[in-house]
Amino acid sequence: MMKVLWVGSSIRQTCCQNSMSLLTALVVLVALYVLCRCLIPRLVQCNSTLALLWHDVLLEMMLDLLGGTTRPQRLLRAVCVNAVRGDPDSVITAIDCFCKHTEWAMNVGDEKGAILDSVVMETSPSTVLELGTYCGYSAVRIARLLSPETKLISVEMNPEYADVARQVIQHAGLQDKVCVLEGESADLIPKMADMFGIQTFDFVFLDHWKDHYLPDIRLLEDCGLLARGSVVLADNVVCPGAPEYLNYIRSSLKYSSRFYQAHLEYTRVLDGLERSEYQGERKQTDR
């Protein structure tokens, strides 16, 4: 009898310990969720270094590990589930909603996207180049504003990003207006004339690696792909920043530039875009 009572007591004690362990684990998980989804995002909202470290490195790695998917794949799923097929504005809204309320992503975003829209509309380009497709958000924004005969050429070095971008662009119904090229911009820029028969680009959007901005704008010049009046719009010139590019573009007699202050996509971190209009080769006395 005593042995039965002892066994019963041990079982109850084990069950109690397991319940406590389960409860503790649940509390820890809830605390981590609140920390990751609420507290940390608020704390890093206004600090550029912390915001990029958290959103673009730590959180992304953690979600990739836990979910077994990548951020572009999760963004694509949000588009497929929430956006109306064939409706570019619906795709843009779905991505903005995903990035604001579910998971940050390095698109140009809604605030700077409105600036991008206005520059594209005022330029009314017939030839367009984008360097840095990522998941296709900015390509959709640009392509939906182009004239029927105008096509956007977008360059992306990451094959996974390019694949997701093509699917996002197709969901928006713009697959006939956007050509996504995989490869290094330095390799593809010199081939543009032969590949597409393009003499010059009316509008160029820079949104790839920031340390590539300067060599790529020089390469575009050297290849004769910029004509007088060509407009170059560069994103993230403040955060994470492109100081060498800004120094070159603002001091060069070849460009007339204007800065649009804004914020890093989906945060309160200060950022901005630089709009530069190519003036051609000019002498000091021409200014």
Side-chain angles (χ1 to χ4, degrees), residues 188-199 201 223 225:
L188 291 171
I189 288 173
K191 301 176 182 177
M192 289 293 170
D194 291 336
M195 291 175 69
F196 299 99
I198 290 174
Q199 299 301 311
F201 286 105
C223 292
L225 290 170

Side-chain angles (χ1 to χ4, degrees), residues 52-69:
L52 290 172
L53 177 62
W54 171 248
H55 290 298
D56 209 26
V57 180
L58 299 178
L59 185 59
E60 182 174 8
M61 289 174 58
M62 184 168 58
L63 292 175
D64 288 356
L65 183 64
L66 291 173
T69 58

Side-chain angles (χ1 to χ4, degrees), residues 3-256:
K3 186 176 182 179
V4 172
L5 290 174
W6 179 81
V7 171
S9 177
S10 298
I11 292 174
R12 284 195 299 272
Q13 186 176 6
T14 302
C15 289
C16 184
Q17 288 174 347
N18 289 340
S19 297
M20 288 300 294
S21 298
L22 185 61
L23 181 60
T24 302
L26 184 61
V27 169
V28 170
L29 287 174
V30 170
L32 285 174
Y33 179 84
V34 172
L35 189 66
C36 294
R37 287 295 186 185
C38 302
L39 298 181
I40 293 179
R42 289 183 181 179
L43 291 173
V44 305
Q45 272 290 303
C46 298
N47 185 290
S48 59
T49 302
L50 292 178
L52 290 172
L53 177 62
W54 171 248
H55 290 298
D56 209 26
V57 180
L58 299 178
L59 185 59
E60 182 174 8
M61 289 174 58
M62 184 168 58
L63 292 175
D64 288 356
L65 183 64
L66 291 173
T69 58
T70 64
R71 176 171 287 168
Q73 290 170 344
R74 295 187 290 273
L75 183 148
L76 175 60
R77 176 171 174 76
V79 169
C80 293
V81 170
N82 299 307
V84 177
R85 184 173 289 276
D87 185 344
D89 289 311
S90 177
V91 169
I92 291 169
T93 299
I95 295 176
D96 283 334
C97 185
F98 172 81
C99 295
K100 286 179 182 179
H101 305 297
T102 303
E103 184 178 353
W104 183 92
M106 56 181 179
N107 308 299
V108 67
D110 52 351
E111 181 189 5
K112 289 184 294 180
I115 298 171
L116 171 62
D117 290 354
S118 67
V119 174
V120 171
M121 287 188 289
E122 73 181 26
T123 305
S124 189
S126 58
T127 50
V128 185
L129 173 65
E130 176 185 45
L131 299 181
T133 318
Y134 188 44
C135 294
Y137 175 88
S138 51
V140 170
R141 288 202 82 112
I142 295 169
R144 82 194 205 284
L145 300 174
L146 301 178
S147 60
E149 66 277 5
T150 301
K151 194 166 186 175
L152 164 65
I153 300 169
S154 187
V155 175
E156 175 54 56
M157 64 175 291
N158 186 306
E160 183 200 356
Y161 295 171
D163 180 61
V164 168
R166 290 189 187 99
Q167 293 181 69
V168 168
I169 291 164
Q170 185 172 29
H171 196 92
L174 297 170
Q175 64 273 14
D176 294 333
K177 294 188 67 62
V178 183
C179 176
V180 178
L181 298 178
E182 289 180 34
E184 295 277 356
S185 53
D187 297 330
L188 291 171
I189 288 173
K191 301 176 182 177
M192 289 293 170
D194 291 336
M195 291 175 69
F196 299 99
I198 290 174
Q199 299 301 311
T200 59
F201 286 105
D202 297 330
F203 179 72
V204 179
F205 183 50
L206 303 180
D207 197 17
H208 54 329
W209 291 103
K210 311 315 163 192
D211 57 354
H212 288 194
Y213 282 16
L214 180 54
D216 282 350
I217 194 69
R218 284 176 167 166
L219 186 56
L220 285 166
E221 294 171 8
D222 293 341
C223 292
L225 290 170
L226 298 179
R228 187 178 181 88
S230 294
V231 172
V232 180
L233 187 67
D235 188 22
N236 301 125
V237 294
V238 175
C239 179
E244 293 182 351
Y245 171 80
L246 284 184
N247 181 61
Y248 172 76
I249 214 81
R250 290 174 177 177
S251 62
S252 174
L253 299 179
K254 302 174 186 177
Y255 296 92
S256 172

